[in-house]
Amino acid sequence: MFMNRSLPVSVIGVLAAGTAAVLLAPASAQALSNGSPTANGAYSFTARLQIGGRACSGALVDPQWVVTAASCFVADPAQGIQVPPGAPQEPTTVTFGTGASQLTVEASEVAARQDRDLAMVKLANPVNTISPLALSTTAPKAGDKLRVSGYGRTRDQWRPDPAHTAVFTVDSVDSAATSTSLPISGSSSPDASTCQGDSGGPAFRETDGRVELVAVNSTSYEFGCMGETGTRKGAVEARADNVTAWITERIVNGRAIPGIVPGAIVDFRGVHSGRCLDVYFASWENDARTVIANCHGRANQQWEVIERAQNVYSLKSLNAKKCLEVTGAATHDGAPIGQFDCRADLTRQQWELVPAKDNTVELRNKATGKVIQPTGAGAGEGTVLVQAENRHTSDQQWSVRVVGKARHDLVNPADPNRSLRVTNDGLANHYARHANGLGWIEVINENSPELNKADATWRILPGLADGSCYSIAAVNVPNAYLRHAQGRIRLDNNDGSALLAADATWCARDGLSGRGVSLESWNLPDRFIRHAQGQLWSAQNGGGQWWENPESFAADTSWEVVAPLKK
């Protein structure tokens, strides 16, 4: 099995020397001759790639990534190997296994090295049923034994199934840290060689039951391969052991979920149930349980993303401002998922959004390694959420939707004075101001009285109840803040009470209209500062009061934070 594309001896000599010329002419794809079929289930990380009309091999190194040869993505490697990053230029599929257990996945992205015949292929859907091949960081030595596997041609088969494998000896190794290739020759059989279809197949070290990727097949002399008559033996491998940092970087970056950035506001809809991750009855209590419930888009189903490490997040409820966690740090299956005061040091509040099938995610806890699912894989309204071992099933998978972005950047704390300008079309130069202890909007321009300008200038300060949100103080009335009371926005003196602090704290997010910012009540989530008939109100979209009419709600609750009118 293993026959690579035939290369002139002069080119192969350059490849074996490990120079950059390795990219100029790795021959056509290969397979193994004088090897043996893999035993059932053995080396299942070995992959067959179909790139347009060309066949290659590769190895799964992460549920989302396969390593292979960059030359597989070039029609004529003799003309040079320049593989554009991004989606493959030809339809590409990656297949694992044989028979009834065969699994085929489309490739969505290719990233190739420029200094050697090595590429990484991202899979459109992760493969979770096969253990990936580990990466080796130990340099090979002359005389080391490496096993090579691939789906290339054999001595007597054009398209073998299953994969074939053979053991090879490392002939020599360039000691330079930038060495890109190494020559190998048959060991399990002195006549073993790689053939067409084997390009990109893994060369791996086997030690005490552990297998580690060292290189991928790049070039061979195709000795003994079906249809070939050459007499020279051996092959040349592209090294992977000294670029594991590059491979790991691609893997980690590839796990990022589009739109999941610090401050993103998201909701999660269960694939199996069609219902959303919900804090039961919008509770504010610590250890309140979470459930799946009909999706309604209110604050107890929305979560702010807080980054703790790369691809590791806490999820803070917009309702109670508490973080999603495994209750009590329990480690057993069935432990409930709840909410608790957010703490950066608690790994039970840290979650990996693991890419899953069809652009969904699995919510895996950093402390326990388990994922969120409804109890008993249930789908009914109010089914309690628990943690369980990851089976990669639809009840453990969630569609994640970005619905907004929290804003923590409205002002420089050293320069907090700002004015709030209406964003509605047709209401130019309308600003939020106070008058007679209440909130209003009014036309204010450079010719307006200084009092009006002062009334429409505010100090935007860290929130009295929550420093991650804001409180809005008048610049011309000492210690007075905008608060809600019975729906109306008022200017009241800070009496030091917890109620005043809560009523006068507002959490900022990107404007609901797509312009400016919207300011949501800290203690009455889903209610925003809105102007209606010239007055300022705390309003819920579609609520039961006249000022909560859904018409123009998004525009009426979106404000531009601008330079202060009163200098």
Side-chain angles (χ1 to χ4, degrees):
M1 106 177 200
F2 301 154
M3 287 187 160
N4 282 355
R5 315 173 175 183
S6 298
L7 286 181
V9 172
S10 60
V11 173
I12 295 174
V14 172
L15 292 172
T19 70
V22 69
L23 294 182
L24 296 179
S28 61
Q30 330 163 39
L32 282 176
S33 72
N34 297 300
S36 58
T38 55
N40 185 32
Y43 313 122
S44 57
F45 47 74
T46 307
R48 185 201 306 270
L49 282 76
Q50 190 69 40
I51 304 113
R54 298 184 299 281
C56 279
S57 297
L60 189 74
V61 292
D62 176 82
Q64 280 193 291
W65 290 92
V66 165
V67 293
T68 188
S71 55
C72 294
F73 293 89
V74 179
D76 183 7
Q79 301 302 313
I81 300 177
Q82 297 296 325
V83 181
Q89 295 193 319
E90 297 177 272
T92 301
T93 58
V94 182
T95 299
F96 301 89
T98 61
S101 63
Q102 189 174 88
L103 173 64
T104 298
V105 185
E106 291 185 357
S108 62
E109 181 183 336
V110 179
R113 294 283 300 186
Q114 299 300 308
D115 63 341
R116 69 195 68 195
D117 190 14
L118 181 68
M120 295 185 66
V121 178
K122 189 177 184 181
L123 306 179
N125 282 318
V127 173
N128 292 305
T129 55
I130 296 170
S131 296
L133 176 59
L135 304 177
S136 174
T137 57
T138 302
K141 305 185 300 295
D144 281 358
K145 305 298 183 186
L146 300 179
R147 184 176 291 277
V148 179
S149 60
Y151 279 95
R153 197 183 300 179
T154 68
R155 178 177 290 277
D156 53 10
Q157 290 180 289
W158 286 102
R159 191 177 176 86
D161 194 9
H164 281 57
T165 181
V167 176
F168 290 76
T169 299
V170 176
D171 295 336
S172 62
V173 179
D174 188 331
S175 61
T178 56
S179 170
T180 61
S181 63
L182 57 108
I184 59 174
S185 56
S187 177
S188 55
S189 166
D191 292 336
S193 182
T194 56
C195 305
Q196 278 197 351
D198 287 327
S199 281
F204 49 93
R205 182 185 293 113
E206 297 178 288
T207 307
D208 298 328
R210 177 176 170 82
V211 291
E212 295 179 330
L213 176 71
V214 175
V216 301
N217 188 238
S218 175
T219 308
S220 86
Y221 303 101
E222 301 187 297
F223 177 81
C225 300
M226 190 172 185
E228 300 294 333
T229 59
T231 60
R232 189 169 179 179
K233 303 175 184 179
V236 177
E237 307 296 291
R239 288 182 64 175
D241 63 285
N242 56 359
V243 289
T244 56
W246 177 79
I247 295 173
T248 301
E249 181 182 21
R250 296 299 174 281
I251 290 172
V252 172
N253 290 344
R255 291 176 185 156
I257 307 299
I260 302 303
V261 297
I265 298 170
V266 301
D267 61 19
F268 298 95
R269 183 187 295 261
V271 172
H272 175 64
S273 67
R275 292 186 163 90
C276 283
L277 196 163
D278 177 288
V279 179
Y280 191 57
F281 276 102
S283 173
W284 280 62
E285 298 299 318
N286 279 333
D287 294 331
R289 62 186 176 179
T290 58
V291 299
I292 50 172
N294 291 331
C295 299
H296 50 60
R298 292 191 289 276
N300 64 315
Q301 291 184 354
Q302 295 187 350
W303 306 84
E304 180 184 346
V305 173
I306 302 172
E307 188 173 45
R308 300 304 189 191
Q310 188 169 15
N311 297 336
V312 178
Y313 308 98
S314 291
L315 299 170
K316 184 169 75 171
S317 169
L318 262 63
N319 180 65
K321 319 304 185 290
K322 298 179 186 293
C323 282
L324 191 71
E325 72 165 24
V326 178
T327 300
T331 59
H332 62 277
D333 280 9
I337 305 301
Q339 65 178 11
F340 206 85
D341 295 333
C342 295
R343 282 178 46 185
D345 61 324
L346 295 181
T347 55
R348 69 175 186 259
Q349 293 184 352
Q350 297 177 11
W351 302 89
E352 297 172 279
L353 275 60
V354 181
K357 183 178 179 181
D358 297 331
N359 298 316
T360 63
V361 299
E362 296 157 351
L363 294 167
R364 183 169 65 196
N365 188 259
K366 189 69 174 174
T368 67
K370 300 181 188 293
V371 299
I372 297 177
Q373 69 166 58
T375 302
E381 175 82 4
T383 303
V384 173
L385 293 173
V386 297
Q387 70 172 1
E389 288 293 337
N390 198 344
R391 306 184 315 277
H392 307 292
T393 49
S394 63
D395 59 306
Q396 298 179 332
Q397 295 168 350
W398 305 81
S399 296
V400 57
R401 183 177 63 135
V402 179
V403 298
K405 190 174 190 299
R407 294 287 300 276
H408 304 289
D409 59 349
L410 297 192
V411 295
N412 179 342
D415 180 26
N417 289 9
R418 296 291 186 274
S419 291
L420 300 175
R421 185 170 62 202
V422 169
T423 63
N424 305 64
D425 294 335
L427 291 178
N429 297 321
H430 283 66
Y431 292 84
R433 69 167 294 185
H434 66 84
N436 301 317
L438 296 173
W440 311 82
I441 62 168
E442 186 172 325
V443 175
I444 302 176
N445 55 42
E446 60 183 11
N447 298 318
S448 297
E450 291 301 310
L451 175 63
N452 293 18
K453 295 178 184 178
D455 288 349
T457 300
W458 310 93
R459 296 172 61 225
I460 299 180
L461 305 170
L464 295 173
D466 183 341
S468 68
C469 297
Y470 294 99
S471 289
I472 303 171
V475 297
N476 59 347
V477 181
N479 203 36
Y481 291 81
L482 283 184
R483 68 175 296 186
H484 65 82
Q486 298 181 336
R488 194 71 161 90
I489 302 299
R490 306 172 47 87
L491 184 71
D492 280 357
N493 182 65
N494 181 8
D495 60 7
S497 69
L499 178 61
L500 183 286
D503 289 349
T505 298
W506 306 90
C507 298
R509 61 191 292 171
D510 279 350
L512 298 182
S513 69
R515 299 171 61 182
V517 300
S518 292
L519 297 163
E520 183 176 17
S521 169
W522 182 82
N523 61 343
L524 290 179
D526 299 312
R527 290 170 172 81
F528 295 84
I529 296 180
R530 179 189 193 177
H531 66 83
Q533 297 184 11
Q535 304 168 0
L536 296 185
W537 293 87
S538 172
Q540 180 176 359
N541 193 4
Q545 304 298 327
W546 68 264
W547 61 85
E548 297 178 314
N549 189 315
E551 184 177 354
S552 74
F553 185 89
D556 294 349
T557 55
S558 297
W559 304 85
E560 295 284 357
V561 180
V562 298
L565 291 169
K566 180 67 175 178
K567 306 302 182 182

